[in-house]
Amino acid sequence: EAGVAQSPRYKIIEKRQSVAFWCNPISGHATLYWYQQILGQGPKLLIQFQNNGVVDDSQLPKDRFSAERLKGVDSTLKIQPAKLEDSAVYLCASSLGARGRDEQYFGPGTRLTVT
Amino acid sequence: AQKVTQAQTEISVVEKEDVTLDCVYETRDTTYYLFWYKQPPSGELVFLIRRNSFDEQNEISGRYSWNFQKSTSSFNFTITASQVVDSAVYFCALSLYNQGGKLIFGQGTELSVKP
């Protein structure tokens, strides 16, 4: 079974530029998460989708971050414009359901450096 | 509010030593789930274990064991006879039954096992 796929793996941009990350979850997984992991910290949830609807985006900086999940499968996370503090690893995860007990499977992440 | 604390930022041991990683959590909910994930240098978070709040039985899986104590709100992880391949960052995480599955992570403990 293929795991969660993410691209690109690495990205370097200058501040005020825009960037987009892509995630393809495990087939059949209805729930998709985007987490931000700043160096030396644990991942923090940015947004959660159930199929193509948003369940939780309370910690998404909506003035610069946006995300979509078209057709309830792939998802894209965008930052526009980027700030220095956005340098982090962006992790995508998926699970069968949205219950607290559902195991989340993580992708390899996209490491973003903003200069 | 919910919180997970991993007080040990870094631990260094010599191969074959036993090592315990501490995790303390805070929640007022009665139904919740606790997880441990491993993050090797490649960056992908790997699921290790899930426990629900009603099951305080300790669990052993090979060289890994987990001690869950509700009385002290702790969910500690012990590696017996550590190996170099155990070197990674380990995260403890909490999810609530009624919050859609999002994980609240601790800061992580970086374990270094030296030959």
Side-chain angles (χ1 to χ4, degrees):
Chain A
E1 178 182 271
V4 177
Q6 290 188 248
S7 67
R9 291 295 311 276
Y10 305 92
K11 191 74 178 178
I12 301 174
I13 61 172
E14 295 181 352
K15 60 183 179 184
R16 291 188 289 273
Q17 286 187 326
S18 62
V19 64
F21 313 129
W22 172 82
C23 172
N24 179 242
I26 292 174
S27 178
H29 280 194
T31 309
L32 185 146
Y33 307 81
W34 283 101
Y35 290 86
Q36 179 192 57
Q37 185 178 15
I38 293 173
L39 185 65
Q41 299 182 19
K44 181 187 78 172
L45 180 72
L46 290 176
I47 188 167
Q48 176 187 349
F49 292 93
Q50 179 74 9
N51 296 309
N52 58 355
V54 175
V55 174
D56 184 347
D57 63 356
S58 57
Q59 297 191 85
L60 186 74
K62 298 181 186 65
D63 57 334
R64 297 183 301 105
F65 286 65
S66 65
E68 60 182 6
R69 190 182 184 196
L70 298 176
K71 300 180 181 178
V73 182
D74 292 3
S75 177
T76 303
L77 176 70
K78 297 179 181 177
I79 308 175
Q80 181 179 7
K83 292 185 175 182
L84 295 176
E85 59 260 36
D86 299 331
S87 293
V89 176
Y90 292 84
L91 295 164
C92 179
S94 69
S95 63
L96 276 173
R99 297 161 297 187
R101 69 171 188 257
D102 287 323
E103 179 185 338
Q104 294 182 29
Y105 296 82
F106 285 80
T110 296
R111 183 177 298 276
L112 173 68
T113 302
V114 183
T115 63
Chain B
Q2 292 74 43
K3 186 178 179 182
V4 175
T5 301
Q6 295 178 253
Q8 305 149 309
T9 305
E10 298 178 13
I11 299 177
S12 182
V13 299
V14 177
E15 209 169 19
K16 297 184 184 175
E17 283 186 25
D18 298 348
V19 59
T20 295
L21 310 182
D22 297 333
C23 172
V24 174
Y25 62 93
E26 296 175 29
T27 180
R28 292 185 178 181
D29 283 46
T30 57
T31 305
Y32 52 88
Y33 304 87
L34 295 165
F35 298 78
W36 275 94
Y37 280 85
K38 175 182 180 180
Q39 188 174 44
S42 59
E44 194 164 331
L45 282 159
V46 177
F47 168 83
L48 295 177
I49 190 172
R50 174 190 59 233
R51 303 299 284 175
N52 74 57
S53 53
F54 298 107
D55 184 359
E56 286 192 73
Q57 279 193 339
N58 292 333
E59 182 154 341
I60 298 174
S61 176
R63 296 184 297 107
Y64 296 171
S65 63
W66 292 269
N67 179 252
F68 176 28
Q69 291 194 340
K70 286 178 75 171
S71 60
T72 55
S73 298
S74 65
F75 185 43
N76 297 337
F77 172 30
T78 297
I79 302 175
T80 303
S82 59
Q83 300 176 2
V84 173
V85 293
D86 296 327
S87 296
V89 180
Y90 291 85
F91 289 96
C92 181
L94 166 72
S95 73
L96 304 181
Y97 174 75
N98 61 354
Q99 280 200 1
K102 80 173 184 183
L103 291 169
I104 300 159
F105 285 88
Q107 297 280 81
T109 296
E110 182 172 5
L111 175 65
S112 177
V113 182
K114 301 190 186 308

